[in-house]
Amino acid sequence: MEIYDTAIVGAGFGGLAAGAKLSQQGYNVAVFEASNELGGSAGKYERQGYRFQSGATLGMGFEEGGVFDSLYDSLGIEKPPMTLLNPIMDIHLPDRTIHYYRERHEWYLEIDRHFPDVKEQVKAFYDEVFRVGAIVDKLVLELPIFPPRTMSDWLGMLPAVNIDSSRLIPYLTQTIQQRLKKFGLADHSLFVTFLNGELMDSVQTSVDRCPAFLGYAALQTFHKGAYAVHGGLATIAEQLAEFIKQQGGTVFMRHPIYGITEEEGSFRLKTKREKVYKSKQVILNNSAHNLHDTLSAKLAERSYIKKEKEESREAWGAFIIHAGVKEEVFSDTSSLYHQFIDPGNPEGLHDGGQFLLSLSSGEDSGMAPPGMRSLTLSTHTDLAKWWDKEHYDSRKQLMHDRLINIVDHYFKGFSDGLDIVLPGTPVTFQKWLRRNSGKVGGYAPTGRFSWLNSYSVRTGVKNIYQCGDTTFPGAGTLGVTLSGLMAAKLVSKQG
């Protein structure tokens, strides 16, 4: 039986980034994906001439020096065609539409228009966002193993201890709400509503619960460059998988892994088909939610990730609608991304209180039939209610109608222009993407020090590592990819 150098469980962005870097270095890599699609929560599926994006839709990190720009350059891969977004998105509130511009000077003019009474305070706040976000980026791009769990991890943190990093201390110990008080903005309902919407979309939380440095890093990322990648984000996954195969690695589709065991210095990975594979090292890219379902009980006991704690940690689910729509419905806007925020929603920022509409580019003919666009609607949702079978169908219809009606209010003829409508719930995410209980998007920050509860790429089991949205630096395609590169860094050190 062939023994691989590294087995990667899950073909999400983190696992594929790790596999690409390791295969480039000469490692014999095998990637095991449970489904028949690549990309995990940033994957795709096709129906009736449409290509739908499974979850994440916005391309980030392709600006010069960005995460994907650097990764593609190091691998020698040509970047896929994409459309640079400016504005990044239109944000629809009951009494106004805010154009969220990428360019700083354009965004500051928009601030003048919508927040005239506090415009100087808001711009001063964003000056701080850009300054602190740049410091955080610089540190994270060094791929630190955080939180440090070994002496080598601590030693690896030493280069980050400098004047710049010391300036982060106030932002490591405060929430964004506390920073807003400094600018006299904490009680400005319109700006806080806007900011809550952006943070919920990017960090899964609100100003009062978001660590300042984490929220700042997310907010400034929008302004570095947001893209509609042609073919969807799954195109990136396809390119990375192809690179792995070109380097001699193997990508196994429809190969879910169960009950990894250790035997004579290597690991045995068993699939549902009772096939067994061996590897010297393992990277788990299937979320910490699934760790105890993937490792044998004996190995799981050695991990610092405990099942009881894992089950109780806060996480969101997603309600999502994939649909085709007539191109003419959006003829009056050039924006491909639209956010809808309803401050009066009794559910708060979830279950329709805040949601995103992602529209395929008219330049991207592979996403929809002629004259049509592929779109995704997605909102955070509480998980527990979706496992009540008795009320499942009625709740699904209620959420479907709520989102469709809100978009219809802003874009007349939207509901009449729909061609195909495919709603999905946390139950869908568990069934098709194997997300335990339908949990997606990592962990929602719960306060100023909640970042200290992050999981490292180390699992606590020697030669088994992890990456993904539940691993530092967290959710989103950039965070997931960085954690994959961190895991690859550790594997190559062991090798």
Side-chain angles (χ1 to χ4, degrees):
M1 180 186 296
E2 182 177 9
I3 300 180
Y4 295 99
D5 295 321
T6 308
I8 298 171
V9 180
F13 273 38
L16 291 171
K21 290 301 292 183
L22 290 171
S23 62
Q24 183 187 41
Q25 295 170 30
Y27 285 77
N28 184 12
V29 171
V31 180
F32 297 89
E33 170 54 43
S35 73
N36 59 358
E37 296 287 355
L38 298 163
S41 294
K44 57 85 177 172
Y45 69 94
E46 297 177 0
R47 295 286 188 280
Q48 300 181 29
Y50 294 93
R51 173 180 272 209
F52 296 118
Q53 302 191 70
S54 300
T57 60
L58 191 61
M60 312 285 267
F62 283 101
E63 73 282 355
E64 186 176 354
V67 173
F68 284 107
D69 178 70
S70 299
L71 177 60
Y72 271 64
D73 184 61
S74 69
L75 299 176
I77 301 176
E78 184 177 347
K79 289 186 282 190
M82 61 187 74
T83 300
L84 177 63
L85 304 174
N86 192 39
I88 303 159
M89 66 178 81
D90 285 349
I91 300 164
H92 305 279
L93 291 101
D95 64 340
R96 70 191 66 215
T97 292
I98 299 173
H99 303 295
Y100 199 24
Y101 287 104
R102 177 180 68 89
E103 297 291 346
R104 190 186 301 194
H105 73 278
E106 288 182 285
W107 173 230
Y108 281 11
L109 289 174
E110 191 74 353
I111 288 171
D112 290 342
R113 285 189 284 270
H114 291 285
F115 309 103
D117 55 327
V118 289
K119 60 183 182 182
E120 296 307 323
Q121 295 98 305
V122 172
K123 285 186 278 190
F125 169 78
Y126 269 93
D127 286 343
E128 182 172 274
V129 165
F130 293 129
R131 184 175 68 255
V132 174
I135 297 172
V136 174
D137 274 358
K138 186 176 180 180
L139 293 175
V140 173
L141 286 173
E142 295 297 321
L143 303 180
I145 308 305
F146 182 86
R149 301 194 64 84
T150 68
M151 182 57 70
S152 64
D153 293 347
W154 283 105
L155 292 173
M157 297 285 287
L158 289 179
V161 180
N162 52 39
I163 294 175
D164 269 354
S165 60
S166 67
R167 291 173 180 152
L168 282 179
I169 292 174
Y171 311 98
L172 295 170
T173 59
Q174 296 181 33
T175 63
I176 286 186
Q177 185 178 53
Q178 289 171 305
R179 297 306 302 171
L180 287 175
K181 290 179 181 178
K182 172 190 172 184
F183 298 96
L185 294 170
D187 296 320
H188 194 279
S189 59
L190 177 60
F191 184 63
V192 171
T193 295
F194 161 78
L195 209 55
N196 276 335
E198 304 326 296
L199 291 172
M200 192 66 173
D201 181 48
S202 56
V203 195
Q204 335 299 326
T205 197
S206 52
V207 297
D208 58 317
R209 307 182 98 199
C210 185
F213 82 96
L214 184 62
Y216 282 9
L219 289 171
Q220 60 99 29
T221 296
F222 285 116
H223 297 273
K224 293 194 299 182
Y227 302 83
V229 178
H230 294 191
L233 296 184
T235 302
I236 301 169
E238 291 164 351
Q239 288 181 302
L240 293 176
E242 184 58 31
F243 179 86
I244 291 169
K245 289 186 278 189
Q246 288 174 356
Q247 301 300 307
T250 308
V251 179
F252 294 98
M253 305 300 293
R254 296 180 294 278
H255 274 65
I257 297 297
Y258 297 89
I260 296 175
T261 57
E262 189 173 22
E263 181 182 284
E264 298 177 352
S266 65
F267 297 99
R268 291 170 59 90
L269 295 87
K270 186 170 68 174
T271 75
K272 198 170 183 178
R273 302 175 184 179
E274 298 301 317
K275 291 184 178 179
V276 176
Y277 301 86
K278 284 189 175 184
S279 181
K280 298 173 186 175
Q281 300 188 85
V282 175
I283 297 175
L284 303 176
N285 182 215
N286 60 346
S287 153
H289 306 312
N290 297 78
L291 181 139
H292 289 269
D293 297 325
T294 307
L295 301 183
S296 67
K298 188 175 181 180
L299 282 178
E301 283 177 8
R302 289 159 52 187
S303 173
Y304 74 93
I305 301 169
K306 301 306 177 186
K307 188 173 184 178
E308 300 77 18
K309 179 182 177 181
E310 178 58 31
E311 290 176 345
S312 65
R313 290 188 68 173
E314 288 188 32
W316 289 109
F319 182 89
I320 194 164
I321 294 175
H322 292 119
V325 65
K326 291 180 180 178
E327 197 168 45
E328 63 196 48
V329 173
F330 294 92
S331 60
D332 292 335
T333 178
S334 60
S335 294
L336 298 179
Y337 290 79
H338 298 265
Q339 186 181 37
F340 303 86
I341 303 174
D342 178 10
N345 182 54
E347 301 283 358
L349 291 169
H350 54 88
D351 290 290
Q354 179 277 142
F355 67 97
L356 190 68
L357 183 154
S358 308
L359 193 67
S360 65
S361 170
E363 302 171 7
D364 190 359
S365 60
M367 295 292 286
M372 306 297 291
R373 298 282 188 91
S374 168
L375 69 83
T376 301
L377 298 175
S378 60
T379 185
H380 294 78
T381 186
D382 279 329
L383 287 164
K385 63 187 177 185
W386 294 104
W387 302 97
D388 174 5
K389 292 183 180 180
E390 181 181 355
H391 299 101
Y392 178 81
D393 289 334
S394 61
R395 285 198 172 103
K396 186 175 179 181
Q397 188 63 48
L398 179 65
M399 282 297 301
H400 166 277
D401 294 347
R402 181 180 297 169
L403 300 191
I404 296 295
N405 290 339
I406 290 173
V407 180
D408 213 28
H409 171 77
Y410 290 94
F411 294 95
K412 303 304 180 186
F414 174 71
S415 57
D416 292 334
L418 294 174
D419 176 37
I420 177 176
V421 180
L422 303 170
T425 73
V427 177
T428 313
F429 278 86
Q430 176 169 283
K431 180 178 180 180
W432 296 107
L433 296 179
R434 298 183 182 272
R435 302 292 306 214
N436 187 279
S437 299
K439 299 175 182 178
V440 295
Y443 300 107
T446 57
R448 55 181 178 157
F449 293 120
S450 54
W451 57 277
L452 292 171
N453 293 321
S454 298
Y455 287 141
S456 160
V457 292
R458 295 189 188 274
T459 64
V461 182
K462 186 178 180 181
N463 292 328
I464 297 183
Y465 309 94
Q466 62 183 347
C467 61
D469 58 11
T470 54
T471 303
F472 178 82
T477 53
L478 296 186
V480 167
T481 301
L482 282 166
S483 67
L485 297 176
M486 291 173 188
K489 178 181 176 181
L490 282 185
V491 168
S492 61
K493 282 184 176 180
Q494 293 296 323

